[in-house]
Amino acid sequence: MGFDGTVIDQLLRSAVDGGTFSGVAAIVVDRDGVLYEGTAGEAGRHTMFRNASMTKALATTGALQLIEQGRLDLDATVESILPQFGELQVLDGFDGDAPRLRAPRAKATIRQLATHTAGCGYFFTNENLFRYAELTGLPSPMTGLKASLTGPLARDPGTLWEYGVSTDWLGLVVEAVSGQTLDVYLAEHLFGPLAMKDTTFSPTDEQRARLMPIMARTPSGGLVAIDLDLPPNPEWAAAGHGSYGTITDYGCFIRTILNDGELDGTRILNADTVAMAFSDQIEGIPMPEVMKSADHTLSNDVPALPVPQGWGLGFHLVNVDIPDMRSAGTGDWAGIFNCYYWIDRTAGVGGAIMTQVLPFFDAAIVEALMAFEVAAYAQVGSAAAA
């Protein structure tokens, strides 16, 4: 019995009709190919999306390639490769309107960059950094200005999980070690080999014409077009958020990881490297119960899943089976414009759902995302049973 996408088709159409999305694309893959690919509303099969933080997994894969080649050491200090990182201080609070800064109590490592435990934060999920940016004029990473990476650390390295610009610094590490800019490196070593034909940090005019507009959720629950966008000519290829692509392309990446680093005869990572990336690297380091928003135009508060979880190298991990959904050890993450993916190496299935809506973690979209995943596993289960 094959995969019947009727339920997912209806789900996507109903969500568009009900105002959850203006347009949406979704894909389900297994190790052998695409099980389902569909769109609804203003999105089509060739629609381009801002991958935003779904870029993090792609860029971390580039770093993993260098690690398995012996050109990069997970436990090397970041400043041994990028001396400028060693100049960052920890924001310890404020004396009136004066930021209180001090030297970090430990040196951050490459492993900590890949697990968001290096101390780096984002202004929109950290109130202290938000205030620091307001007081000092530190630009947001979304401006495309490289100076946005020079803000202080939010934590001491190795103490707490803190979401932020760690992956952007990891991308700069890849550049320093490879001698190529990140966009060129990933085009040569990831996007090209995997035939991710539309994935890029610099969309052409033709690709921009296919780019889905960004919408914002209104207080009444509707969607309205907004002017906010990523800059067309950023100063650096941002490993944390800078790539664009199609749902088809991201499905190729998911399939590659499901196949332990190989797609249709092309290997981009060794199987043991993939296994390492999907093993918990932060045991004992606390994760927040809620990732609180400091800028509600960009993100809602994001509560943690009510299950044991961890972080691998570039991937958030759930550490238990979730009934009717993903298996223990599944990796996942998302992008700020309400794009989401998961990679379940145990069940051999993964998927992604993509739209372009702010703020992140929109309640209606998360509800549709969960229904999509449940519908996918219902089909995979029936196919396996048959």
Side-chain angles (χ1 to χ4, degrees), residues 29-31 61 190 193-196 249-264 266-271 274 343 345:
V29 300
D30 65 7
R31 293 187 174 97
T61 297
L190 187 63
L194 298 183
M196 296 169 66
D249 280 6
Y250 217 87
C252 291
F253 175 71
I254 294 171
R255 276 190 62 212
T256 304
I257 302 301
L258 288 175
N259 280 296
D260 292 331
E262 184 178 353
L263 182 67
D264 301 331
T266 298
R267 179 165 293 283
I268 56 110
L269 284 177
N270 293 330
V274 175
I343 306 175
R345 296 167 63 243

Side-chain angles (χ1 to χ4, degrees), residues 16-97:
V16 168
D17 292 343
T20 297
F21 304 106
S22 59
V24 58
I27 194 166
V28 183
V29 300
D30 65 7
R31 293 187 174 97
D32 296 324
V34 176
L35 299 176
Y36 171 86
E37 186 171 357
T39 62
E42 296 175 6
R45 190 162 183 265
H46 301 292
T47 295
M48 293 283 290
F49 296 90
R50 301 158 190 84
N51 289 330
S53 287
M54 283 171 53
T55 305
K56 288 178 167 70
L58 306 175
T60 303
T61 297
L64 291 170
Q65 290 175 332
L66 299 175
I67 288 164
E68 72 178 21
Q69 293 165 20
R71 300 168 67 189
L72 180 61
D73 184 346
L74 268 174
D75 295 313
T77 63
V78 181
E79 69 177 58
S80 69
I81 300 166
L82 301 172
Q84 63 269 39
F85 189 91
E87 299 170 10
L88 301 184
Q89 294 187 295
V90 176
L91 178 59
D92 229 5
F94 299 86
D95 295 318
D97 282 341

Side-chain angles (χ1 to χ4, degrees), residues 147-291:
S148 62
L149 302 184
T150 62
L153 301 178
R155 312 279 183 186
D156 281 302
T159 56
L160 289 172
W161 187 92
E162 176 83 29
Y163 194 45
V165 297
S166 289
T167 311
D168 288 295
W169 281 101
L170 187 62
L172 298 182
V173 168
V174 170
E175 292 188 344
V177 173
S178 70
Q180 297 176 291
T181 57
L182 183 70
D183 53 337
V184 171
Y185 177 89
L186 291 178
E188 181 178 334
H189 298 280
L190 187 63
F191 307 153
L194 298 183
M196 296 169 66
K197 297 174 184 176
D198 273 314
T199 304
T200 178
F201 286 81
S202 302
T204 64
D205 289 345
E206 186 275 332
Q207 288 172 320
R208 285 197 176 276
R210 292 188 274 129
L211 189 59
M212 188 173 177
I214 299 173
M215 310 292 283
R217 183 73 66 198
T218 65
S220 62
L223 291 171
V224 61
I226 56 174
D227 291 334
L228 184 149
D229 204 349
L230 298 176
N233 298 298
E235 291 183 349
W236 91 107
H241 66 267
S243 72
Y244 301 72
T246 60
I247 193 80
T248 304
D249 280 6
Y250 217 87
C252 291
F253 175 71
I254 294 171
R255 276 190 62 212
T256 304
I257 302 301
L258 288 175
N259 280 296
D260 292 331
E262 184 178 353
L263 182 67
D264 301 331
T266 298
R267 179 165 293 283
I268 56 110
L269 284 177
N270 293 330
D272 56 355
T273 304
V274 175
M276 177 177 66
F278 276 70
S279 63
D280 193 1
Q281 302 283 323
I282 66 161
E283 288 186 17
I285 295 179
M287 291 186 66
E289 292 186 10
V290 178
M291 192 164 71

